[in-house]
Amino acid sequence: QRALAAVTRGRTTVAIAHRLSTAQSADEVLVFDAGRIVQRGHHDDLVRQESSVYARLYASWLEQTRAS
């Protein structure tokens, strides 16, 4: 996380993230499903959309990290 932040500071960067912790720090998140963009926005806004793909992924990730 820190290495990525240092390398991308002051630059436009596209990162493909499978970890939601990486997406949390992004200025903008694009959510793909079946090869199509289904959501776009900031992490906080996407999480608030309760029935959305991103919100469901985030909730699942939270459950898994709490169980560990």
Side-chain angles (χ1 to χ4, degrees), residues 6-51:
V7 172
T8 61
R9 190 170 293 118
R11 296 186 175 115
T12 299
T13 307
V14 175
I16 299 172
H18 294 277
R19 292 182 178 204
L20 291 178
S21 58
T22 302
Q24 282 180 299
S25 61
D27 293 329
E28 184 171 30
V29 176
L30 300 176
V31 181
F32 287 81
D33 187 24
R36 296 179 186 249
I37 297 173
V38 294
Q39 285 181 276
R40 179 180 184 172
H42 188 268
H43 164 82
D44 295 334
D45 297 329
L46 296 175
V47 169
R48 280 190 224 113
Q49 298 172 14
E50 293 180 23
S51 63

